[in-house]
Every structure is written in structure tokens, then in C-alpha cells.
Amino acid sequence: MFRRREAVPFSFVAESERFRSNVTPPPAARATVPELLGRSLVGLTVVAGLVGSLLLGLPALDSGQPAEHGKQSTASQGR
């Protein structure tokens, strides 16, 4: 037995792409004061962590010796 296949009119397919519902979604809820304070506290904590890691990490990256391009190393002095 073969399956019966119904044709779909092309006008229906074309109209389905531009269909817009007349039901609007509910408006977004406004953030309360405690939520805003919590978000700002989290943001400040993240920024303070980044600044703190930068301040603590920069001295560790410093070699402690000034860069001397013209001088030779002590290993090459005996030659």
C-alpha cells in the first residue's frame, strides 16, 4: 500500500515565513534594588581581583636587573 500524500499550496508556505502573532510577550521585569546591588558587588569583586593580580604579578615579572644591551656577560669575559 502506498501512503497518501497531500499537496501543500505554495502560497501557504510563502505566508508562513512572514506570519506575525498578535500576542505580545509580557514586559521584562525591572531589577530590584537588592539585585542591582548584588550585580554591582559582583562586578566590583571581579575588577578588584584583576587589579590585585596585576599589582601582585608585575613585581614578580620584573627581572631586578636593568637591561644592558652593550655589555657582555660575565661568562664571556675570560675569552
Side-chain angles (χ1 to χ4, degrees):
M1 299 205 157
F2 63 94
R3 294 173 55 180
R4 186 175 150 192
R5 191 170 173 187
E6 295 187 22
V8 177
F10 290 108
S11 62
F12 176 76
V13 174
E15 289 177 5
S16 67
E17 293 179 0
R18 58 185 172 162
F19 175 75
R20 298 287 183 253
S21 175
N22 60 354
V23 178
T24 58
R30 292 183 54 150
T32 62
V33 174
E35 288 176 345
L36 290 175
L37 289 175
R39 290 177 189 173
S40 62
L41 184 63
V42 168
L44 286 174
T45 305
V46 169
V47 170
L50 291 173
V51 169
S53 65
L54 185 66
L55 289 175
L56 293 175
L58 281 178
L61 294 174
D62 189 21
S63 65
Q65 298 176 357
E68 299 174 2
H69 297 289
K71 293 187 177 181
Q72 294 178 346
S73 66
T74 57
S76 64
Q77 286 179 354
R79 293 184 182 184

